[in-house]
Amino acid sequence: MLKVNNVTKRFGGLVAVSSVDLEVNEKEIVSLIGPNGAGKTTLFAMVAGFLKADEGKVDFENASVLGMRPHQICKLGMVRTFQITQPFAGLTTLENIMVGAYSNTSETDLARTKAEEVAEVVGMTSLLNQGADGLTVAGRKRLELARALATDPKLLLLDEVMAGLNPTEIDDIVTVIKGIRDRGVTIFLIEHVMKAVMNLSDRTYVLNDGKLIASGTPSSVAEDPQVIEAYLGHGAAEAMAEGA
Amino acid sequence: MTNFRNHLYFLLLGALALIVLPYFISSRFYIDVLTLIFFTAYLGQSWNILGGYAGQFSFGGVMFFGTGAYVSSILLTTFGFPPIFGIFLAILGGAFLGLIVGYMSFRSGLKGSYFALITLAFAELLRVLANSVEFTGGGVGLFLTYAPGLSNLQFESPVGFYYFALILMFISIAIVYWLESSRFGAQLVAIRENEDAAEALGINTLKCKIYAIMIMGAMGGAAGTFYAQKYLYLDPPIAYSIHLSVEMLLVTIVGGMGTIFGPLVGAFVLHTVNEIARHFIDTPGLSLIVYGLILIIIIGYLPNGLIGAFKKKEKKSDSTSLDKKTSRGDS
């Protein structure tokens, strides 16, 4: 469904993402993990059209989306959420979700119905008339998810929707994400919460210093010495092996 | 929104009152003041669409007014083209200017104060241009002949212009009322609140912003024809006066940006304050100081405008009743 081929992004002398290849298949939940500054969000931004890749190809459903603007990519069925939540602060939750729903209809009533439906899916029904600026962190993360979902995407790019949430809230949102996948939406997510990554993803890619260092099932990736070193520092894998 | 529908009855009553008002006012002065209020409210509303709803503050809104005024006036003086049709070309001219300015500035990603400055620069550029070319009458200006009649959009009695301005204002309110309940309006507000998020959710932000400035331009164009046919004289400092650019944003900010009635409320309050200050204070210049002081007080204490202050109170009582309802539903 999504094919990223040899994509590179440089900011001046810094190579933020370096020749990355990855693939997301239909109906999968694929995660992208890596230490802070690894280039995960930059990669997302390139896939969703917010940044232009310096090299490489990004194909969505066998058609190149390189050089398209975000709204065009959204119309094709690929939509992203933001790590730093970007609510329409002056609007209510309902109005926020309706903006997403309007991408498929110009009828206000239809958009409202769709928004209420989506709110039900992500569990925001009781917050519909609340101002988005009054939402908690968990509420805002859900709102990001809801707005994106309201555009009826085929592929959702979720950028750390669990960061800053407490364990109960994480369990809740994991259930919500599984529910979304069961409705036929493919999901590609960036996440730091390992428990959720293990629990959710079919496959995982690990990015470090802009390079892919591992990929596979979450459990195999977690045992990969390169991955352990990326997270815990040089020599950590050896030390762990000795300790065991 | 629902509040608005509930109040529709009162609004129709208010509209009716404005329609019959001239039959009860014999003073030409009051009719003129009201005409001016409607006219300013109309221009404020045009600014409100781009500034209040889409969040793009322009500082050169007068450019559409001036261009529209020149389009219909030059057509009239040069070709004898009747203003009743000329006004539509003025509208087209304003929209076209909006397209050019919008495309050039939004395409290059100008926002905030940069956008405000570029619109100011465009208005100034047009003023200088109008001064130096021949077909605008240059610095001498254009004199229109007084020939009352509907085809000329001129009226013997000031009441005629009162209705002309009232119709313009009604149309502007209808446009914004439509915005409030339409997808396009929601998209403009989304752009105002967060442009990146709007783009991510499938909104063509560039196109929407250009449409918004074109609507503003079209409205400004019609206002230009109105002015030219009422005052029968046009020169570059009038057509492209910074004063008018400021006035249209001022009435909107004072009344409440991004609201249906903000510009009307703002225009009414500011004009009334201005007239009262002028009437009761004889010392020259002092009335302006009083006007300025009141302006400072309004903007300082009511950042969301008069309507915003009123809405906040309403919202508070609204949300508390809603909380009660939901808590009752839970138990």
Side-chain angles (χ1 to χ4, degrees):
Chain A
M1 186 173 220
L2 175 70
K3 271 195 192 131
V4 173
N5 207 328
N6 203 21
V7 161
T8 297
K9 179 75 193 173
R10 295 185 199 87
F11 295 113
L14 177 87
V15 185
V17 173
S18 163
S19 347
V20 167
D21 291 298
L22 56 79
E23 198 169 337
V24 178
N25 300 313
E26 218 162 310
K27 307 269 160 42
E28 266 188 319
I29 298 185
V30 175
S31 53
L32 177 64
I33 63 172
N36 287 322
K40 304 182 297 290
T41 298
T42 306
L43 184 63
F44 257 37
M46 279 188 288
V47 170
F50 280 84
L51 279 176
K52 213 175 165 312
D54 293 325
E55 281 163 34
K57 287 197 298 191
V58 180
D59 289 343
F60 179 63
E61 295 191 313
N62 301 319
S64 173
V65 294
L66 218 60
M68 282 191 178
R69 290 180 50 212
H71 74 264
Q72 295 169 312
I73 294 176
C74 170
K75 286 272 183 323
L76 292 177
M78 175 159 66
V79 63
R80 76 173 285 198
T81 67
F82 292 91
Q83 177 183 4
I84 300 158
T85 55
Q86 311 275 354
F88 303 124
L91 307 184
T92 64
T93 302
L94 176 69
E95 288 165 334
N96 264 270
I97 306 175
M98 276 175 74
V99 171
Y102 270 130
S103 77
N104 289 313
T105 174
S106 58
E107 300 277 328
T108 305
D109 291 339
L110 287 179
R112 184 176 293 117
T113 316
K114 175 80 194 172
E116 284 165 355
E117 233 175 79
V118 170
E120 181 98 46
V121 174
V122 301
M124 294 196 90
T125 307
S126 62
L127 300 170
L128 277 178
N129 292 311
Q130 192 169 324
D133 49 355
L135 292 174
T136 59
V137 177
R140 282 169 186 235
K141 296 278 185 185
R142 268 172 202 243
L143 183 59
E144 283 282 325
L145 192 58
R147 275 192 327 202
L149 200 56
T151 66
D152 265 335
K154 296 174 194 154
L155 172 62
L156 256 179
L157 305 173
L158 303 179
D159 195 348
E160 293 203 31
V161 284
M162 294 168 213
L165 304 192
N166 67 37
T168 327
E169 290 165 340
I170 288 174
D171 286 344
D172 285 350
I173 210 154
V174 164
T175 316
V176 168
I177 291 173
K178 279 185 172 160
I180 293 170
R181 194 257 304 264
D182 293 343
R183 291 159 64 96
V185 181
T186 310
I187 292 167
F188 185 26
L189 52 89
I190 293 177
E191 202 45 73
H192 271 306
V193 180
M194 284 315 285
K195 187 181 139 201
V197 171
M198 295 292 189
N199 196 341
L200 268 175
S201 28
D202 302 316
R203 289 190 300 120
T204 300
Y205 287 96
V206 187
L207 203 60
N208 185 34
D209 272 342
K211 296 187 195 75
L212 272 186
I213 55 167
S215 67
T217 61
S219 45
S220 75
V221 159
E223 283 161 13
D224 191 310
Q226 261 190 297
V227 176
I228 298 170
E229 292 205 350
Y231 274 94
L232 300 177
H234 195 64
E238 245 170 63
M240 274 177 82
E242 276 170 23
Chain B
M1 205 55 239
T2 43
N3 270 330
F4 183 80
R5 287 222 174 86
N6 293 342
H7 297 163
L8 201 62
Y9 182 70
F10 292 100
L11 290 175
L12 286 176
L13 219 64
L16 201 68
L18 290 179
I19 291 170
V20 298
L21 199 61
Y23 294 96
F24 300 96
I25 297 179
S26 51
S27 149
R28 193 197 157 107
F29 170 75
Y30 284 115
I31 289 289
D32 269 344
V33 169
L34 283 168
T35 307
L36 208 60
I37 288 174
F38 299 153
F39 175 73
T40 324
Y42 171 80
L43 276 176
Q45 197 69 278
S46 79
W47 188 89
N48 192 28
I49 290 171
L50 186 67
Y53 283 89
Q56 313 297 316
F57 290 12
S58 55
F59 221 91
V62 76
M63 71 174 118
F64 306 116
F65 162 86
T67 305
Y70 272 122
V71 166
S72 67
S73 302
I74 291 170
L75 283 172
L76 175 64
T77 52
T78 318
F79 306 105
F81 197 74
I84 193 153
F85 300 120
I87 193 170
F88 291 103
L89 290 174
I91 288 170
L92 277 181
F96 185 65
L97 181 62
L99 175 68
I100 295 172
V101 174
Y103 185 81
M104 288 174 73
S105 35
F106 293 138
R107 178 86 214 184
S108 29
L110 292 182
K111 287 176 196 176
S113 34
Y114 294 99
F115 176 68
L117 284 177
I118 201 76
T119 53
L120 177 66
F122 266 112
E124 282 297 280
L125 178 88
L126 286 168
R127 184 176 62 78
V128 174
L129 214 61
N131 224 335
S132 47
V133 294
E134 217 162 282
F135 65 90
T136 58
V140 181
L142 281 177
F143 295 88
L144 306 183
T145 343
Y146 176 63
L150 193 61
S151 74
N152 274 340
L153 294 174
Q154 290 175 16
F155 309 95
E156 266 175 79
S157 138
V159 176
F161 284 105
Y162 174 94
Y163 283 121
F164 190 177
L166 189 64
I167 289 170
L168 286 179
M169 191 195 74
F170 280 163
I171 291 173
S172 74
I173 286 179
I175 292 173
V176 174
Y177 177 59
W178 165 77
L179 268 190
E180 284 266 335
S181 57
S182 72
R183 166 163 81 166
F184 181 57
Q187 291 177 328
L188 291 188
V189 171
I191 290 170
R192 176 189 73 200
E193 294 292 326
N194 193 322
E195 204 167 328
D196 275 345
E199 182 77 30
L201 294 172
I203 297 174
N204 189 342
T205 52
L206 176 66
K207 198 172 88 181
C208 284
K209 286 191 287 186
I210 290 179
Y211 282 169
I213 196 174
M214 284 175 75
I215 295 175
M216 177 188 189
M219 290 171 71
T225 305
F226 170 90
Y227 182 94
Q229 297 309 115
K230 182 164 165 41
Y231 295 101
L232 300 175
Y233 176 69
L234 200 62
D235 69 1
I238 293 175
Y240 298 108
S241 84
I242 291 177
H243 176 77
L244 200 59
S245 284
V246 172
E247 199 172 5
M248 63 175 91
L249 68 92
L250 215 51
V251 294
T252 314
I253 292 172
V254 166
M257 282 188 285
T259 64
I260 300 181
F261 292 102
L264 178 59
V265 171
F268 183 80
V269 169
L270 286 187
H271 275 292
T272 310
V273 166
N274 189 24
E275 293 303 333
I276 291 174
R278 275 214 321 225
H279 191 257
F280 287 104
I281 301 168
D282 285 332
T283 322
L286 197 61
S287 71
L288 267 178
I289 294 176
V290 172
Y291 177 80
L293 270 179
I294 291 175
L295 206 59
I296 290 171
I297 291 169
I298 293 180
I299 292 178
Y301 286 91
L302 304 172
N304 294 320
L306 294 162
I307 297 231
F310 176 73
K311 253 195 183 162
K312 223 177 202 170
K313 268 186 194 155
E314 209 173 62
K315 224 181 191 175
K316 258 184 195 159
S317 58
D318 245 29
S319 62
T320 46
S321 68
L322 202 80
D323 288 345
K324 271 176 210 155
K325 252 184 244 158
T326 43
S327 62
R328 219 183 298 141
D330 286 345
S331 60

